[in-house]
Amino acid sequence: MIALIQKRLAEYKSVGAIEEENALKEIVQEIMLFALWQAGFFEVAAPMERPGN
């Protein structure tokens, strides 16, 4: 997991500490959203109405 974060952080090419912090926050947010999606959180928290239901 750390290697993934380091790789993604390097892709941002941040200039300063604040940009690097913001990039890190964005990466962690993406990871958390993916984990929530994978766990089925969004099906329970905000189920989408499908046509015909």
Side-chain angles (χ1 to χ4, degrees):
M1 179 67 75
I2 293 172
L4 171 67
I5 293 171
Q6 288 173 334
K7 180 183 173 211
R8 293 286 313 277
L9 200 52
E11 292 172 1
Y12 274 85
K13 297 180 176 89
S14 303
V15 177
I18 292 179
E19 285 184 16
E20 188 170 320
E21 181 182 352
N22 288 337
L24 183 58
K25 286 178 182 179
E26 186 174 327
I27 293 165
V28 170
Q29 182 180 31
E30 290 173 4
I31 293 169
M32 293 305 300
L33 287 171
F34 176 75
L36 289 169
W37 169 78
Q38 201 170 32
F41 174 80
F42 297 109
E43 291 297 320
V44 175
M48 295 183 65
E49 199 168 308
R50 294 185 176 94
N53 288 355

